[in-house]
Amino acid sequence: MNIVILSRNSQLYSTRRLIEEGENRGHDVEVIDPLKCDIIIEQEKPTIYYKDRYLDYVDAVIPRIGASVTFYGCAVVRQFEMMNVFTTVTSDSIIRSRDKLRSFQRLSKAGVGMPKTVFTNYSRDVEEVLDHVSGPPVIIKLLEGTQGLGVVLAESKNAAESVLEAFNGLQARALVQEFIAEAKGADLRALIVDGQVVGAMKRQGKEGEFRSNLHRGGSANLIKLSDDELKLAIKAARALKLPVCGVDMLQSARGPLIMEVNSTPGLEGIEGATQKNIARAIITYIERNRK
């Protein structure tokens, strides 16, 4: 097959591993920067032009679309879909997962456990918002933050007021969530491929840090998920229609809770912690499902 990885950086670990495993299985793998693609729209002949050629030979694409280029990157993925090219994650699913409010609304309707969450239209009644999530302390998240950026722990009413006022002043929309103290700065990442958990790790934030992201100095270790955690991860992925994704969960006194679902999860941490070949699992998923 001719497989295209939509990525702005061919040297990233995840991109390199996908190239390696694709080529090991006999496929031609090419990295294409989605921002350098021209989308050509005409009657019954949607095409994509990249540098000096039309991408009319592509069998499958693996989107590795960064949050900062979601709009155009997803437009390119959508164009491939119009060309009947198989994609590991659809454009609609990426957009849905990147909007935290929208994804939490869908997860809630699907009956997925999650921390209590409030979204308001620049509310000045902070005390009422805090009451809804049994706080303080509370977690305040920008709707479009990644890798722990735009996530703040407000330990008091005054701190929450200050953070919300700052976000409101920037016209940045934010969610307010209950703080799960018993998680102790740790979370679980389940890597889903073709609707099944193919690897899981526990991420622990560095001392004094409530965020467990590896990009922020956290550590990762192999973990065996409980039956409830496995079921929750698979249910969340299905609710957001993401056959390939990373599902982040918190261990709480009332059971596992979904923290976030990532449509383009990094592979370095999960492969390192589990010693499992996640990249190969993604390539074989394409092989099984390409029409």
Side-chain angles (χ1 to χ4, degrees):
M1 283 189 290
N2 293 308
I3 299 175
V4 160
I5 302 171
L6 292 172
S7 172
R8 302 205 65 207
N9 186 348
S10 62
Q11 298 307 308
L12 293 175
Y13 177 91
S14 301
T15 305
R16 287 190 288 107
R17 287 287 297 119
L18 290 165
I19 295 168
E20 181 181 335
E21 291 304 325
E23 291 179 343
N24 283 347
R25 294 188 64 81
H27 304 298
D28 291 323
V29 185
E30 183 179 7
V31 178
I32 285 177
D33 183 346
L35 296 192
K36 294 180 180 177
C37 290
D38 293 332
I39 297 170
I40 301 172
I41 303 167
E42 60 179 304
Q43 186 175 0
E44 296 183 355
K45 193 184 177 184
T47 53
I48 296 174
Y49 190 77
Y50 179 73
K51 292 186 176 178
D52 59 351
R53 63 196 184 280
Y54 292 98
L55 302 181
D56 54 5
Y57 54 86
V58 179
D59 297 304
V61 296
I62 304 173
R64 301 292 308 173
I65 307 295
S68 63
V69 297
T70 297
F71 177 82
Y72 198 80
C74 285
V76 172
V77 176
R78 190 180 308 115
Q79 188 75 349
F80 275 116
E81 292 166 10
M82 298 301 103
M83 296 160 60
N84 295 316
V85 174
F86 178 80
T87 176
T88 55
V89 185
T90 67
S91 55
D92 284 347
S93 294
I94 297 171
I95 292 169
R96 194 159 40 232
S97 69
R98 292 279 163 85
D99 183 333
K100 288 187 175 68
L101 175 61
R102 186 177 177 187
S103 61
F104 270 113
Q105 287 174 314
R106 289 184 69 94
L107 292 170
S108 174
K109 182 174 175 59
V112 172
M114 65 187 74
K116 294 177 188 174
T117 303
V118 175
F119 178 70
T120 68
N121 189 35
Y122 302 132
S123 173
R124 296 191 178 279
D125 193 345
V126 174
E127 192 163 342
E128 188 174 272
V129 171
L130 297 182
D131 286 343
H132 285 311
V133 294
S134 308
V138 295
I139 300 293
I140 302 174
K141 294 181 177 180
L142 288 177
L143 282 186
E144 295 182 349
T146 60
Q147 298 177 355
L149 299 173
V151 181
V152 179
L153 171 62
E155 300 193 70
S156 67
K157 176 176 175 288
N158 288 340
E161 281 181 342
S162 297
V163 172
L164 288 173
E165 283 174 4
F167 284 167
N168 291 349
L170 295 170
Q171 295 190 321
R173 306 235 177 221
L175 298 171
V176 181
Q177 276 186 342
E178 70 172 313
F179 176 58
I180 308 299
E182 59 267 32
K184 298 179 180 177
D187 70 17
L188 309 180
R189 160 66 63 92
L191 209 298
I192 305 277
V193 177
D194 204 4
Q196 299 299 317
V197 175
V198 295
M201 62 180 174
K202 184 170 186 174
R203 303 182 300 187
Q204 178 68 56
K206 62 184 180 181
E207 189 173 352
E209 174 62 74
F210 72 95
R211 293 166 293 189
S212 60
N213 305 73
L214 301 185
H215 290 87
R216 310 197 68 82
S219 58
N221 296 290
L222 174 69
I223 190 172
K224 180 177 174 58
L225 298 179
S226 68
D227 287 345
D228 285 346
E229 289 159 354
L230 281 168
K231 289 175 184 175
L232 185 68
I234 293 169
K235 189 174 184 179
R238 285 177 180 165
L240 296 182
K241 297 183 179 179
L242 287 167
V244 177
C245 61
V247 180
D248 297 339
M249 298 174 284
L250 295 171
Q251 293 177 306
S252 80
R254 61 179 188 271
L257 304 173
I258 293 293
M259 185 171 67
E260 188 174 1
V261 183
N262 189 324
S263 55
T264 52
L267 303 183
E268 186 170 10
I270 193 81
E271 286 196 336
T274 64
Q275 296 299 301
K276 291 187 176 180
N277 195 330
I278 308 297
R280 183 190 299 166
I282 293 172
I283 299 299
T284 56
Y285 162 61
I286 294 172
E287 295 170 351
R288 289 193 302 272
N289 288 273
R290 177 186 166 254
K291 295 178 182 177

